[in-house]
Amino acid sequence: MKPFQRFKKTSMLSAMAALALTATACGGAGGAGGKTGTPAGKQNEPVTLKLYMANTSDMAIMPEVNRKFEEQNPGIKIDLQTAPVDQFETVIKTKLASGDAPDIFTIYAGTKKDSFVKAGYLMDLSDQPWVSRLTDGAKEVSSKDGKVYGLPNRQNVIGVIYNKKIFNNLGIAVPTNWDEFLAACQKIKDAGITPLGLGMKDQFVTQLVPYAMAPSAIYRNQPDFDKNMYAGKITFTGSPWEQMMKDYLELNEKGYFNKDPLGTSNDLVMQTMASEKIAMTVTLHGRIAALRTANANLELGMFPLPYVKAGEKIWVSSMPAIYGGIYAKTKHPAEAKKYFEFLASPEIAQTILKATNSFSVYKDVTAELDPALKDITEGLKVGSYAFLDSVWPNTVQPIMFQQIQNVFAGKKIAEMLTAMDKAFKDGAAQQ
């Protein structure tokens, strides 16, 4: 078995850390993006595009992709620098505010990019040829006020990754409702195996279970839930969130999670699952590739979290991810756009999807997915809703991380939901 590779969450969960920028545009924007090119007299001088990217799961393939781009465009060099996800926010904010902006940098989908747009840091890419090829969902999360500001490159899904050998040995079928899921957990526990892995020492992990619950518990029947939250008509308090959190805690109270989730890292959960001592974990589909790297003999599958009653439809949490945006005042707008057009080409898009084992964001590109994703792929056809941090104000997610940890440490669910309501109201007022 190979040592498990350290994981830093994907962009979606982006998250995780809210990329709220100060609204000030000092040193930024100005609206010149896309209207200026390489100055006259310097047309033949080589151009170096500076990229500053969060080290998400797609970064491993990018050196190879960038080498191909440079071969096809000998006058353009790519200078790729990456930063850990939890450090990226601080550094990119400093770079943008100080006038040391890269030509291209990571932005996140949905509302997380809006502060960059508001500050004028991002170029309007609405007229680029690849925009018409995006799926409706990918275009929506890349847009603000009808304009596209980022290049999506893959779609992520949250569900239950499970060990098929353990399920087969114990005679467990893929559960299709919550009662069956709880029964499966109990049978696995009775066999001396940890049913579910949960590494809450890494805060972003705290949200994965409720994110997987919410599409079925809320948005399948209440598609305007978030719209009504923004309108102040409803709150988290008194919503299905109360039962979701009770059921989340019950999994822990019944001993279905590993011991001490609050003191356990996500990396340790992945290592333990790779050693076949944990049967399931609720996480991003991209973890399948990492688990296979750690143990090539694993028999894996992935199914939607069945947080439903018998006979009800299961909805899935799914979200397109954005590769990056172009700095509005870059000195090389033509070259930056050419680079994005190269990344969006069917051949390169397919290369990135294959490397990240991700779902496509283009209408004309079909992803070659790991066979383990068969069940979750079918689940996507039933119904899905975006990752919640992409539709909520940026103020909510950090509070939710902290409050879920507090609840697992013994605080009341009511206190958590009150804090989330305040964060939502405060954030909505700032937008």
Side-chain angles (χ1 to χ4, degrees), residues 200 206 210 248 400-408 416:
M200 300 181 86
T206 62
Y248 191 3
M400 179 179 65
F401 288 162
Q402 179 184 4
Q403 291 296 324
I404 291 178
Q405 287 182 325
N406 289 348
V407 167
F408 270 72
M416 168 190 162

Side-chain angles (χ1 to χ4, degrees), residues 94-144:
T94 300
K95 284 179 174 291
L96 290 168
S98 66
D100 183 31
D103 299 293
I104 293 169
F105 54 96
T106 294
I107 60 172
Y108 296 132
T111 55
K112 288 185 175 298
K113 71 178 183 316
D114 291 354
S115 56
F116 289 86
V117 176
K118 187 176 181 180
Y121 289 135
L122 292 173
M123 183 183 295
D124 178 3
L125 302 173
S126 302
D127 62 348
Q128 293 306 289
W130 44 265
V131 170
S132 63
R133 296 170 42 228
L134 294 175
T135 62
D136 291 344
K139 185 176 180 181
E140 180 180 352
V141 300
S142 307
S143 301
K144 171 68 174 172

Side-chain angles (χ1 to χ4, degrees), residues 161-370:
I161 295 178
Y162 73 105
N163 185 311
K164 284 188 171 182
K165 185 168 72 175
I166 293 175
F167 269 50
N168 290 336
N169 288 344
L170 296 177
I172 300 173
V174 171
T176 60
N177 58 63
W178 195 242
D179 287 341
E180 290 181 0
F181 183 72
L182 295 178
C185 288
Q186 187 61 49
K187 195 165 188 177
I188 294 167
K189 181 185 175 185
D190 291 343
I193 301 170
T194 300
L196 287 161
L198 184 66
M200 300 181 86
K201 188 175 181 180
D202 294 302
Q203 279 195 326
F204 77 92
V205 172
T206 62
Q207 67 191 335
L208 294 172
V209 169
Y211 272 30
M213 290 175 162
S216 296
I218 301 175
Y219 299 97
R220 185 190 63 196
N221 298 321
Q222 301 180 62
D224 292 334
F225 183 88
D226 291 325
K227 180 180 178 180
N228 288 330
M229 285 286 296
Y230 276 101
K233 296 180 179 178
I234 59 175
T235 59
F236 292 118
T237 301
S239 78
W241 269 87
E242 291 183 354
Q243 189 61 48
M244 286 165 51
M245 288 306 302
K246 289 177 182 176
D247 290 334
Y248 191 3
L249 278 178
E250 186 182 44
L251 295 174
N252 193 44
E253 292 164 357
K254 288 181 176 292
Y256 295 158
F257 290 128
N258 46 275
K259 292 181 180 178
D260 189 21
L262 287 171
T264 302
S265 70
N266 187 60
D267 281 349
L268 181 57
V269 167
M270 291 295 145
Q271 291 169 4
T272 310
M273 188 162 183
S275 65
E276 304 193 78
K277 296 177 181 177
I278 291 177
M280 299 181 282
T281 189
V282 179
T283 190
L284 293 156
H285 78 276
R287 296 302 85 215
I288 288 176
L291 287 165
R292 292 202 189 285
T293 299
N295 182 357
N297 295 320
L298 281 178
E299 298 175 24
L300 297 172
M302 186 174 189
F303 58 85
L305 183 68
Y307 191 62
V308 297
K309 296 178 181 177
E312 292 182 339
K313 293 182 178 179
I314 307 169
W315 274 32
V316 179
S317 183
S318 177
M319 185 74 185
I322 297 179
Y323 174 69
I326 299 175
Y327 180 49
K329 295 181 70 174
T330 174
K331 295 179 181 178
H332 310 296
E335 291 82 0
K337 290 179 178 178
K338 179 177 288 189
Y339 177 63
F340 270 18
E341 189 169 348
F342 174 81
L343 296 182
S345 66
E347 176 189 355
I348 299 303
Q350 187 66 259
T351 297
I352 294 172
L353 292 174
K354 185 176 182 179
T356 58
N357 189 34
S358 294
F359 299 87
S360 179
V361 293
Y362 298 101
K363 299 173 184 175
D364 58 352
V365 178
T366 300
E368 297 178 10
L369 297 170
D370 188 302

